[in-house]
Each structure stands twice: as structure tokens, then as C-alpha cells.
Amino acid sequence: DTEVTQTPKHLVMGMTNKKSLKCEQHMGHRAMYWYKQKAKKPPELMFVYSYEKLSINESVPSRFSPECPNSSLLNLHLHALQPEDSALYLCASSSGANVLTFGAGSRLTVL
Amino acid sequence: GQNIDQPTEMTATEGAIVQINCTYQTSGFNGLFWYQQHAGEAPTFLSYNVLDGLEEKGRFSSFLSRSKGYSYLLLKELQMKDSASYLCAHQAGTALIFGKGTTLSVSS
């Protein structure tokens, strides 16, 4: 298995909702990432988990809460989001100081 | 600090060769990556340079000069399917920091 799987592919939520994005990989990668990408912009790093521990938080607002239950899973919990948070959320994994493999992304719309 | 600069847009015709340049400034260098991203899809890995010189992979090649903080991606025998955004990225620790990307449009 050489893929990173993200669910859901599309999510529409209101500003008072609580939802979660999920990411899974079975490549034995020990680093997992969340990136946010707005239209016609490059991916922006949000969080990095290394060996299931949060190693980088790029000053992301607390309404985004990452969780790494085990080495294969990465979640992004969403609460009280704003319309400007609408974007493509990309999960990626890597074996360390090496190539990142991206999932297809979860397209989030906040109403 | 880290700064990555690449052209915003480029156009070319089928069968041609195109070179996409990337310049970077960084306080520490761990490697330079190129990714391709089609509209609405995830970025996919194209190439990686950590040492100076040219890395060739079929129709795609990437060059790095660490002393000049410069890289380029060379695409040969362009095809319509090569129309995409090409992202230059610098490795910071275990994370990639992306440049703004170059949108390449290939016409017939």
C-alpha cells in the first residue's frame, strides 16, 4: 500500500458544527502532516507529527485540533470554524527526512 | 528565514522544452524538491536534489546549485497533460515549505 487515504473528500459545515477530517497510511511512515491549501495558492504547513508526537504547530488557531491516535492515523478536529477556513486540507506522510506522499485532500466549505 | 521564489505563470507548446526556475534563501539546507499539482488534485513528487548537479528522470530533470541558491525543473517533449502547477519546495527539518508555484499551460 503506497497511498495516503483521506476522508471525507468533501465536507460542508456550519460555523457552530464540530467535525473531523481523517487520514490513514500503511507505509510505515513515522512522520505525518496537515497542510492547508487555498485556491491558486501553495500548500501551507499546519502541523507535523513525528513518532506520534506533535513536533510542529505553525501557529494554527485552536479551532483546529490535531490528533495522532497511532502511527497510521492522523485526525484534524474542527470546531467553530470561520468561512475563511474553507480550503483543501491535505494530509501527507514521510519516512523522515525524505519525500512526502500526499493524500487526495478533503475539500472543506464553511458556511 | 526561508524564502522561495519562482515565476507565477509560463506557457509553452506541445513537444517543446520548458525550464522553470526557483531561487531560495534559507538558514539551513536539507534538500530541494519539485512537485506537480493538477487542478483539484494532490501534489505528486517529481524530483529531489540535495547535491549540486542534474538529476534526470525521463522527460523531467532537475538541477541544483547550492552556492547560488538556485534550482530549475526542465520538462522535455511537453504534452498537454503537463499543464499543471509546479511547486518548488525546500525541506525544513522533516517538513516541506512550498514556493508559490508556477502554473504551466501547454497548448497544441
Side-chain angles (χ1 to χ4, degrees):
Chain A
D1 188 353
T2 58
E3 290 187 345
V4 175
T5 303
Q6 289 188 243
T7 55
K9 293 194 186 310
H10 299 276
L11 177 64
V12 179
M13 61 186 291
M15 288 189 285
T16 58
N17 293 157
K18 284 186 181 181
K19 298 285 185 184
S20 297
L21 305 180
K22 298 184 184 301
C23 175
E24 189 168 1
Q25 57 89 14
H26 296 287
M27 294 178 279
H29 289 173
R30 308 308 293 200
M32 295 186 77
Y33 310 78
W34 280 115
Y35 281 82
K36 172 183 177 180
Q37 187 174 27
K38 303 279 277 184
K40 300 188 186 299
K41 299 289 187 184
E44 295 179 4
L45 183 65
M46 298 176 72
F47 302 105
V48 181
Y49 273 82
S50 181
Y51 290 89
E52 301 165 45
K53 293 193 187 313
L54 183 65
S55 60
I56 296 177
N57 176 343
E58 290 288 319
S59 303
V60 179
S62 60
R63 57 185 184 270
F64 295 92
S65 175
E67 178 197 19
C68 189
N70 60 55
S71 60
S72 299
L73 295 174
L74 184 66
N75 299 323
L76 186 63
H77 302 299
L78 315 171
H79 175 53
L81 294 194
Q82 304 295 312
E84 58 264 30
D85 296 323
S86 298
L88 180 67
Y89 288 84
L90 293 162
C91 174
S93 69
S94 75
S95 57
N98 215 316
V99 175
L100 265 64
T101 300
F102 284 87
S106 292
R107 187 161 298 283
L108 173 67
T109 302
V110 182
L111 300 177
Chain B
Q2 296 168 73
N3 187 32
I4 302 172
D5 193 31
Q6 51 183 127
T8 303
E9 292 180 342
M10 298 184 71
T11 59
T13 53
E14 269 188 306
I17 299 174
V18 71
Q19 178 175 312
I20 303 174
N21 296 324
C22 170
T23 57
Y24 65 89
Q25 295 174 320
T26 179
S27 53
F29 182 78
N30 292 317
L32 197 291
F33 294 75
W34 285 95
Y35 277 75
Q36 179 192 60
Q37 187 175 26
H38 286 99
E41 298 181 13
T44 55
F45 170 75
L46 289 178
S47 71
Y48 167 60
N49 295 73
V50 65
L51 299 176
D52 290 353
L54 190 67
E55 292 282 339
E56 296 189 77
K57 270 187 169 187
R59 293 191 299 116
F60 291 37
S61 303
S62 60
F63 171 83
L64 176 67
S65 169
R66 287 173 295 170
S67 62
K68 295 181 180 177
Y70 168 68
S71 174
Y72 68 71
L73 180 69
L74 191 71
L75 294 81
K76 303 177 186 176
E77 301 169 16
L78 280 175
Q79 302 173 9
M80 298 292 284
K81 68 178 182 179
D82 297 328
S83 294
S85 180
Y86 291 85
L87 300 162
C88 175
H90 172 261
Q91 187 161 22
T94 57
L96 287 185
I97 308 300
F98 289 90
K100 288 182 166 46
T102 299
T103 300
L104 174 66
S105 299
V106 180
S107 59
S108 56

